[in-house]
Amino acid sequence: MAALRTLQATCRPLACSATVMPPPAATQRTQARGMYGGSCPPGGRVPFTGFFVTPPAVVPCFREGEDKIPVDNFSIDCSPYKPAPDAVPPHELVERMEAKFKEMGVVRLTNTGLSKVEDMKRYANIVVKEQMRYEGGANPREGIIANVYEVGAPHDAWLHYHHEMAYNRHSMKNLAFCSVKAPWGKGDTYLSENVSVTEELMKTDLGRKLKDKGVCYIRCLTDREAYKGQGWKHGQPVYNHWQLSFGVESPDEAVEKAHECGLETEWCVDPLMKDSKRYLKTKLRADAFEYCPSIGQNVLFSSIADHNTWFDTWQGVKEVPPEKRPLQMTFGDGSPISLEELRQWVSLYDRSGIRVRWQTGDVVAFCNYRFAHGRPAFELRQWEERTIGVMLGEKFQRIGARPEAW
């Protein structure tokens, strides 16, 4: 099983969005010293060596203070059960997993002693019972085994909190992560407890704007043939090719798959490669919220992970002018989201953050409605590896918020 490529964190200046103006120079210098000093202070702030001359305008910290929910509350120590490859999970463990997942929307298995993703998948399937294929996805994920995918993102980029595949007309009810290789203290996943995020958001003008206007997602997918199969791993200014996103080879098939995802489509000239006219632009106007059946209420189902600031630390794409980046996001009426609103949005998720530390063999399954997920950037030494297998749960068609469920 091939491990994910080892990437080194970089410390080059990053561009800011055309609608997101950088803070004053004095503030930039303070942020650069405070945020990128090479350590990871309480709250899980992004660890980098050195500093940025011009830091990103929107900086997540992923957790403010203590965990919103103590990790032990949803963890199960598997050492008494002695999980073994090819063994049937013990009935008592199955019952505990199902009960905890039903109550909290998340369950974590630790001290499993497992090392192969196919064995971890067997335990994750206890609560993630049905799985969907990764079609129409944003990240360029490669398969590890059937229905288990790589993270599909560089180590040295932070991944803002997000709900998986919120940018399509369909998403998934739940998902699971399986820790195949995990250096201690690096690449930890963060969950954000979304019910409290939603409650706090709806007290603000931003929440009311999102409720009234919704959001518009614009994704631009490059042509694999124009880039000779290369992507961000090769230093190209590429996020994802439409061939990989939709699992097809022809433009007609790509359009058909995009329409199945509820997306509007337009073929354009690639702004970074003028000879390429097979640059697929997709658009979706959607509710910023989604009704969660398991708790009977509406929850936030959008984040700035689909804004061009997603690429502020993304290898190969961060140097691209914000207006030419592959992801763009506005309110549903096309009006821009201000810098202040972007920061407020990120801060609300951060306040409900939970740090989940990885060790090899851990499995975490969680509800895609009730929890957002993300992670800070991290560095790996030459001898270190991190591989997380991603399992996508049961597919559902988005309906947005219900009027009676606020």
Side-chain angles (χ1 to χ4, degrees), residues 48-356:
F48 282 104
T49 55
F51 61 91
F52 289 106
V53 175
T54 306
V58 183
V59 180
C61 69
F62 296 95
R63 183 186 66 177
E64 293 185 3
E66 299 298 319
D67 292 327
K68 185 67 176 181
I69 300 173
V71 176
D72 287 346
N73 287 12
F74 55 84
S75 296
I76 298 175
D77 181 359
C78 292
S79 53
Y81 301 104
K82 298 181 173 59
D86 302 320
V88 176
H91 181 68
E92 179 185 335
L93 178 57
V94 171
E95 287 189 330
R96 289 184 65 189
M97 287 182 66
E98 291 178 336
K100 200 168 286 291
F101 190 81
K102 182 178 180 180
E103 175 193 0
M104 304 189 68
V106 59
V107 62
R108 169 180 175 253
L109 301 182
T110 191
N111 297 323
T112 67
L114 301 174
S115 59
K116 294 183 177 180
V117 70
E118 51 265 38
D119 298 322
M120 298 176 219
K121 180 179 182 292
R122 186 178 302 109
Y123 284 82
N125 280 146
I126 293 170
V127 291
V128 182
K129 299 181 185 296
E130 298 182 38
Q131 290 183 251
M132 61 173 281
R133 293 183 60 188
Y134 190 68
E135 291 182 338
N139 278 15
R141 301 185 192 272
E142 300 286 353
I144 297 178
I145 62 170
N147 291 325
V148 180
Y149 302 89
E150 291 181 341
V151 173
H155 298 149
D156 54 355
W158 60 53
L159 307 185
H160 284 284
Y161 277 122
H162 59 285
H163 302 273
E164 200 66 32
M165 295 187 79
Y167 44 76
N168 283 343
R169 283 294 180 202
H170 66 256
S171 184
M172 67 211 65
K173 294 181 179 180
N174 45 47
L175 58 161
F177 294 160
C178 304
S179 178
V180 182
K181 296 182 180 179
W184 179 252
K186 296 183 178 182
D188 292 338
T189 291
Y190 285 72
L191 302 177
S192 183
E193 194 281 302
N194 197 34
V195 174
S196 59
V197 175
T198 305
E199 290 174 351
E200 292 302 311
L201 175 67
M202 294 312 298
K203 298 175 184 178
T204 69
D205 289 339
L206 172 60
R208 289 183 283 274
K209 285 178 71 174
L210 287 170
K211 180 182 177 182
D212 293 341
K213 296 184 176 185
V215 291
C216 181
Y217 301 111
I218 299 171
R219 289 193 300 145
C220 298
L221 302 169
T222 45
D223 178 18
R224 182 184 61 202
E225 303 308 315
Y227 288 86
K228 299 179 180 179
Q230 295 189 330
W232 58 261
K233 291 183 179 181
H234 312 94
Q236 294 290 339
V238 168
Y239 183 41
N240 202 0
H241 303 305
W242 52 261
Q243 291 94 332
L244 186 55
S245 176
F246 293 108
V248 299
E249 292 299 324
S250 74
D252 288 344
E253 290 175 307
V255 169
E256 181 180 356
K257 289 289 186 181
H259 290 172
E260 289 176 4
C261 295
L263 308 176
E264 301 174 28
T265 58
E266 179 185 0
W267 291 103
C268 308
V269 175
D270 187 333
L272 302 180
M273 187 173 286
K274 298 299 184 181
D275 291 337
S276 175
K277 298 180 180 179
R278 300 202 308 175
Y279 184 76
L280 181 57
K281 180 179 180 180
T282 70
K283 181 181 290 188
L284 174 69
R285 293 175 179 85
D287 199 322
F289 299 85
E290 193 70 23
Y291 175 74
C292 177
S294 64
I295 59 174
Q297 65 187 79
N298 299 323
V299 292
L300 181 62
F301 207 72
S302 54
S303 74
I304 79 161
D306 296 291
H307 190 272
N308 59 49
T309 52
W310 172 258
F311 297 110
D312 279 352
T313 56
W314 193 284
Q315 179 183 354
V317 189
K318 59 190 176 185
E319 291 87 0
V320 175
E323 69 277 6
K324 294 183 179 181
R325 290 178 180 178
L327 297 183
Q328 303 293 330
M329 184 180 183
T330 66
F331 287 111
D333 62 358
S335 58
I337 304 169
S338 71
L339 170 58
E340 180 182 356
E341 290 167 331
L342 291 170
R343 286 176 170 169
Q344 184 178 24
W345 206 340
V346 167
S347 178
L348 287 166
Y349 273 119
D350 289 346
R351 292 176 198 171
S352 292
I354 305 163
R355 185 177 188 176
V356 181

